[in-house]
Amino acid sequence: MKTQLECLPCFLNMALNGIRKAFPGEEDVHEAVIREWAKGFSEADFNESPPSIAGKLFRMASKHIGNADIFKAQKDESNKRVLELLPSITATVYQSADPLLAAIGVSIIGNYMDCGLVEQFDWEAELGHLEKGLDRPLFASFIDKVRAHKSLLILGDNAGEIGLDTILVGLLQAEGIKVTYTVRGANILNDATFEDARIVGMSDICEVITSGVDTPGTVLDRCSHKFKERLENSPVVLSKGQGNFESLWGVMDDVYYAFKVKCPAIAQIIGHPMKTSLFCIEK
């Protein structure tokens, strides 16, 4: 996906919100980072995906903030809240008529936990509508394919969300399906890393690997060679979240996408309204 002009306000919003929370009262740092990003806009190639450009902007900002994990507080808060609610959400999923469908519904709703948005969403308010609007035939064919290959590679997205993903992973592992879960290679926005996988228990139930990226999405030219080989050789790939969609849509075939439509630009590209729980594959 190419970067749209509508992406630019989101870039500035994520930078300003993160910097102000991580460096409260340090107006000189806030201004320096925003000026750096404004300079980056003038030099950006909009043929690149939004996560690719965002990764470059954050690397440019490092001269002012070092390696600070500016969204750590938001990540910790999301992980904590998910762990508090996880037992009751898991019980709801297990009691549903189709636990796997309910589990993917939970995972998609968790994608609302995204600090890179101008508009914020209430993921907890949607938990009563787990399977609402999902493409059930497509999901059924996805599960059939996963069962046939006994293998699934998941491209994870946000902290907090990764905790909700443990429900789907646990159900599949219980069927004897080998699930591998992928996290980012560096701190970027509120995206999940190895540390988040440890905190929510994902690393206790399946293999967790890193794509090696320092971008808020699976930008292939930022992935490690080892991961790209793994990706290319995986018979079934599930891409979680909008950032991974932005990175891979139009770039890689036969990828299943599961995410919330959270911005007008994505809504226009995908042909579904804002707040849609989307499970799809590029045709």
Side-chain angles (χ1 to χ4, degrees):
M1 169 188 163
K2 295 181 180 180
T3 296
Q4 312 294 306
L5 290 177
E6 291 84 353
C7 299
L8 303 187
C10 286
F11 288 156
L12 285 176
N13 178 70
M14 70 174 73
L16 192 55
N17 284 346
I19 292 299
R20 280 180 168 167
K21 289 177 180 178
F23 298 91
E26 299 187 37
E27 294 295 333
D28 56 333
V29 175
H30 307 166
E31 180 179 341
V33 170
I34 294 303
R35 286 184 178 277
E36 197 76 52
W37 280 48
K39 178 183 176 182
F41 287 169
S42 67
E43 301 172 349
D45 179 358
F46 286 6
N47 288 312
E48 294 183 34
S49 68
S52 178
I53 291 178
K56 291 179 178 180
L57 293 172
F58 273 105
R59 289 193 291 277
M60 290 172 64
S62 65
K63 69 178 70 173
H64 305 290
I65 62 174
N67 294 320
D69 184 2
I70 62 175
F71 294 98
K72 187 179 188 308
Q74 291 96 312
K75 290 194 290 184
D76 289 346
E77 181 181 349
S78 294
N79 287 332
K80 180 176 181 291
R81 183 57 178 157
V82 165
L83 289 174
E84 290 171 351
L85 295 178
L86 196 57
S88 63
I89 297 173
T90 302
T92 298
V93 169
Y94 278 46
Q95 292 164 12
S96 68
D98 186 340
L100 285 172
L101 183 67
I104 194 68
V106 167
S107 288
I108 293 172
I109 288 171
N111 186 231
Y112 267 155
M113 285 178 268
D114 188 339
C115 66
L117 301 172
V118 173
E119 180 180 355
Q120 293 301 307
F121 303 91
D122 186 352
W123 67 272
E124 293 182 38
E126 289 215 14
L127 289 174
H129 309 282
L130 299 184
E131 303 95 338
K132 183 180 178 181
L134 291 177
D135 188 333
R136 294 176 183 236
L138 179 62
F139 183 71
S141 67
F142 161 76
I143 291 298
D144 287 344
K145 189 173 181 181
V146 169
R147 285 170 172 159
H149 288 281
K150 294 286 186 183
S151 174
L152 175 63
L153 176 66
I154 299 178
L155 309 180
D157 194 27
N158 299 323
E161 179 182 352
I162 187 176
L164 296 179
D165 290 344
T166 62
I167 303 175
L168 177 65
V169 172
L171 287 168
L172 293 173
Q173 293 269 106
E175 290 192 24
I177 294 162
K178 176 176 173 50
V179 180
T180 303
Y181 196 96
T182 310
V183 296
R184 306 290 189 237
N187 292 318
I188 184 76
L189 294 180
N190 66 322
D191 290 17
T193 62
F194 275 128
E195 177 65 8
D196 300 296
R198 183 193 65 78
I199 289 171
V200 303
M202 182 66 81
S203 52
D204 294 330
I205 62 173
C206 76
E207 179 187 17
V208 177
I209 63 173
T210 176
S211 58
V213 298
D214 54 357
T215 53
T218 307
V219 178
L220 294 181
D221 63 8
R222 299 295 297 180
C223 293
S224 68
H225 178 71
K226 182 179 180 180
F227 172 74
K228 282 194 284 190
E229 284 189 340
R230 188 75 173 265
L231 181 63
E232 291 166 1
N233 292 324
S234 295
V236 193
V237 178
L238 174 62
S239 167
K240 288 291 314 298
Q242 195 170 275
N244 287 328
F245 169 83
E246 292 171 352
S247 303
L248 297 174
W249 187 260
V251 175
M252 187 173 178
D253 296 330
D254 297 324
V255 175
Y256 292 90
Y257 296 94
F259 65 99
K260 272 288 186 181
V261 179
K262 295 176 290 189
C263 78
I266 298 295
Q268 184 175 12
I269 289 170
I270 204 68
H272 290 272
M274 292 269 288
K275 300 185 180 181
T276 299
S277 285
L278 201 60
F279 185 84
C280 64
I281 188 170
E282 189 171 6
K283 298 178 181 180

